[in-house]
Amino acid sequence: MDFQRLHEILSTIWVVWFVLLFTGILAWVLRPGSREAANRHAAIPLRDSQL
């Protein structure tokens, strides 16, 4: 196996891994029970600061 073939295989594995990771993160964020937590996190910059 030469380096060109190894590079092709590793590039393919990297793309598949990235797509799976992205899909997993997207599913985690869009799951039904996460709306309340997302709304709380979105409101953090709008809270009054204790300066």
Side-chain angles (χ1 to χ4, degrees), residues 23-49:
T23 304
I25 291 172
L26 192 63
W28 178 260
V29 169
L30 297 177
R31 72 188 192 282
S34 68
R35 181 179 298 269
E36 183 180 334
N39 288 337
R40 284 195 319 265
H41 294 151
I44 289 174
L46 305 175
R47 294 183 194 155
D48 290 335
S49 63

Side-chain angles (χ1 to χ4, degrees), residues 1 3-6 9 11 15-17 24 31 35 37-39 45 48 50-51:
M1 178 180 292
F3 286 114
Q4 181 67 26
R5 181 69 180 142
L6 182 62
I9 293 170
S11 295
V15 170
V16 170
W17 166 246
R31 72 188 192 282
R35 181 179 298 269
N39 288 337
D48 290 335
Q50 301 291 330
L51 297 178

